[in-house]
Amino acid sequence: CLGSNGGSTAYYCSEAKAAQVNGVCGATHYNCTAGTSSNNVSGASSYTWSCLGSNGGSTASCSEAKAIQTMLTLSGYAWSSNIGWISFSGANYGVVGDATTGNLSGYAWSPNIGWVSFGQTSGCPESGCTTQPNVNLTTGAVTGWAKALSADNNGWDGWIKLGGSWSPGAHFNTPG
């Protein structure tokens, strides 16, 4: 290597090279602890991305499973000739179902009878029945009871027996 500005010539020299960096996946999707994130894809059940190496370093292929949704949100309306329309979701309320058991909880709204609770756990008006509202996630059959919270026990105790199947007017979102 030739010296410059009056410097001497060296017999052994080398040029400084940038360090090789291998891509390393980060703990959460689209993050890399080393390298540069690239090819970010949000698939149905997982996130995938690459962490590109630099200066001759290797590229890592990365993935992260998406969290499985455990609660399903019910939307739409139901109709009863005795009660009228019941709305299952709104700005400050909603009915949800457990994605594993089908058990329902939360609140619905009816302009005729007010709030309807899907979370009452005692007081069922029939002997030996269960109050837990439930939708069979395979058949769509609805069972159990909900309770109108405005009931005054003067001719109506507020219990609403659930039966039948979900119609096109009410449906659960898809998990995932």
Side-chain angles (χ1 to χ4, degrees):
C1 297
L2 297 176
S4 60
N5 297 325
S8 61
T9 301
Y11 294 103
Y12 300 102
C13 65
S14 64
E15 295 181 32
K17 287 186 174 183
Q20 180 179 346
V21 176
N22 293 326
V24 178
C25 301
T28 58
H29 60 279
Y30 309 147
N31 289 308
C32 301
T33 57
T36 304
S37 182
S38 176
N39 303 322
N40 300 338
V41 176
S42 177
S45 61
S46 66
Y47 302 99
T48 59
W49 71 102
S50 298
C51 290
L52 304 177
S54 59
N55 303 317
S58 62
T59 296
S61 295
C62 313
S63 67
E64 176 188 2
K66 287 186 173 181
I68 297 172
Q69 185 174 344
T70 59
M71 296 305 286
L72 305 171
T73 304
L74 181 63
S75 62
Y77 298 85
W79 169 259
S80 165
S81 58
N82 295 328
I83 296 170
W85 290 105
I86 297 174
S87 170
F88 292 110
S89 62
N92 297 312
Y93 66 93
V95 176
V96 295
D98 183 289
T100 303
T101 66
N103 289 340
L104 303 174
S105 61
Y107 294 90
W109 172 256
S110 167
N112 296 325
I113 62 170
W115 293 111
V116 178
S117 172
F118 282 73
Q120 298 292 327
T121 57
S122 64
C124 182
E126 289 183 354
S127 175
C129 71
T130 176
T131 58
Q132 178 64 59
N134 181 275
V135 60
N136 182 307
L137 298 172
T138 302
T139 67
V142 182
T143 58
W145 296 77
K147 184 165 173 109
L149 300 180
S150 64
D152 59 9
N153 291 321
N154 290 328
W156 183 46
D157 59 8
W159 286 102
I160 302 166
K161 186 172 185 175
L162 305 174
S165 297
W166 290 124
S167 69
H171 65 276
F172 282 110
N173 65 350
T174 317

